[in-house]
Amino acid sequence: QAKSAGGNTLRFFNSEMQTSVLERASLEADLHQALKRNELALHYQVQVDHQGVTTGVEALLRWYHPQRGWVSPATFIPLAEENRLIVPIGYWVLRSACEQLAKWSHQPAYAPLSISVNVSSVQFQQPEFVRDVEELLAETLAPPNRLVLEVTESLLMHEPVRVRSTMLKLRARGIRFALDDFGTGYSSLSYLKRLPLDELKIDQSFIHELLTDKTDAAIVDTTILLAVSLGLTVVAEGVEKKEQLDWLRGHGCYRYQGYLFGRPTPIEYLFESY
Ligand code: C2E
Ligand code: MG
Ligand code: MG
Ligand code: MG
């Protein structure tokens, strides 16, 4: 019976898969509690310029699950987007980042640093998004010109006109925008012209094999030229090796983020080695 329906029929009942379905459901239930139980944390990863000076940090969400330990955002963010928990979670991330910016604004050594925050398309498209951000800025007294919102190309698949108008409102407050994971999405290049962007982040998947893969090198080279000619700051993600850094610098990219400079770290240890 199973055989005539194809070998795969049996696999549906295999315990491994059943566990993963159950796991997913339980992970989802736990995520509902995670915010209330204070299990979410922000780690920060430095961004540096060509002189090695730290210009800012990216806030990266972490979930410390009491039984599972650290859960990767690659696992729980897609889940949170599906069930829209990303809206309150994203709000908490923004609030934490604004509070940090406000603290830094009183310390001359840290005041120039920016914080980049990843904003999910689901969160960005909430009608309340602009109001929420404005309220957070007013409440925390964070300097808006130190806040960078990272969006992805997926944002533009839905309502590009509304997305643009939301960005313009926030930009009028001094907030900057970065296009994250550039090169991995599906949209056309015309959004680069239409959107009020300040920064373009080259996805780390193009950086890893940069020195050995000619196609990756060509893509990175072209992206740098494109960004520069559009007046955008170009940031290379996932820089792990000195040789990658040298290549990037030699090709006109002067902002970097990656393990070479530091891993995502809790704020209290971030500048420990400085
Ligand atoms: P992303 O925004 O592109 O963040 C960069 C990812 O690359 C981070 O993964 C970071 O830890 C990792 N990374 C940095 N340098 C290196 C390197 O040199 N080598 C390698 N192999 N990896 C490096 P992470 O923290 O696991 O986050 C994954 C993704 O989850 C992020 O990608 C972002 O899309 C999403 N994410 C993280 N925090 C948030 C958040 O607060 N809100 C939303 N909506 N998404 C978030
Ligand atoms: Mg990012
Ligand atoms: Mg990225
Ligand atoms: Mg990414």
Side-chain angles (χ1 to χ4, degrees):
Q1 179 78 12
K3 209 168 191 177
S4 65
N8 286 340
T9 315
L10 280 174
R11 263 212 231 139
F12 184 74
F13 302 102
N14 122 355
S15 66
E16 216 175 88
M17 238 185 110
Q18 219 168 13
T19 317
S20 85
V21 171
L22 287 176
E23 272 234 338
R24 201 187 137 84
S26 99
L27 201 62
E28 194 167 345
D30 291 349
L31 191 54
H32 274 278
Q33 303 299 321
L35 249 183
K36 281 185 231 162
R37 291 182 183 157
N38 224 359
E39 292 167 7
L40 298 180
L42 279 188
H43 286 189
Y44 292 89
Q45 185 179 33
V46 295
Q47 295 180 343
V48 307
D49 70 12
H50 62 293
Q51 295 177 306
V53 176
T54 299
T55 57
V57 297
E58 177 174 4
L60 293 159
L61 193 56
R62 297 289 180 264
W63 176 17
Y64 192 79
H65 187 286
Q67 281 87 41
R68 299 164 199 267
W70 294 105
V71 185
S72 160
T75 308
F76 71 83
I77 297 228
L79 208 64
E81 286 178 329
E82 268 170 54
N83 62 25
R84 304 188 73 81
L85 268 175
I86 196 66
V87 174
I89 289 175
Y91 185 80
W92 177 85
V93 171
L94 262 174
R95 174 186 290 281
S96 310
C98 286
E99 286 170 352
Q100 190 57 53
L101 278 176
K103 276 188 208 159
W104 278 349
S105 69
H106 304 294
Q107 301 168 263
Y110 299 115
L113 300 181
S114 60
I115 299 186
S116 299
V117 173
N118 294 285
V119 178
S120 157
S121 303
V122 176
Q123 182 188 7
F124 190 93
Q125 285 176 304
Q126 287 284 295
E128 302 82 14
F129 186 64
V130 173
R131 193 203 62 197
D132 284 352
V133 174
E134 283 179 342
E135 275 177 12
L136 280 177
L137 290 173
E139 210 180 298
T140 59
L141 300 176
N145 60 346
R146 298 291 173 233
L147 183 62
V148 180
L149 299 183
E150 294 195 359
V151 298
T152 59
E153 293 157 89
S154 69
L155 186 59
L156 298 153
M157 314 241 309
H158 311 287
E159 292 183 83
V161 175
R162 206 158 68 89
V163 165
R164 182 182 141 85
S165 111
T166 301
M167 287 174 77
L168 286 173
K169 282 178 200 155
L170 293 168
R171 215 181 186 218
R173 296 291 320 267
I175 292 170
R176 281 171 287 159
F177 283 94
L179 189 60
D180 201 2
D181 304 339
F182 184 75
T184 62
Y186 295 101
S187 23
S188 78
L189 288 179
S190 67
Y191 57 78
L192 282 180
K193 196 175 81 177
R194 270 186 282 128
L195 291 187
L197 293 166
D198 303 277
E199 193 178 291
L200 201 151
K201 299 186 80 173
I202 305 175
D203 192 67
Q204 52 173 282
S205 60
F206 302 111
I207 305 296
H208 291 157
E209 310 293 319
L210 182 64
L211 301 167
T212 50
D213 186 318
K214 287 201 171 76
T215 308
D216 285 346
I219 290 171
V220 173
D221 192 23
T222 307
T223 305
I224 295 168
L225 293 174
L226 180 69
V228 169
S229 66
L230 291 169
L232 303 174
T233 301
V234 59
V235 182
E237 298 193 274
V239 180
E240 296 180 352
K241 300 184 186 126
K242 175 76 167 60
E243 293 74 20
Q244 294 166 336
L245 170 64
D246 293 339
W247 191 100
L248 288 161
R249 193 190 276 137
H251 286 78
C253 175
Y254 304 122
R255 280 292 164 89
Y256 327 94
Q257 194 180 330
Y259 296 166
L260 182 63
F261 309 99
R263 297 199 172 231
T265 310
I267 195 79
E268 55 272 34
Y269 307 118
L270 188 61
F271 296 114
E272 220 176 32
S273 55
Y274 279 57

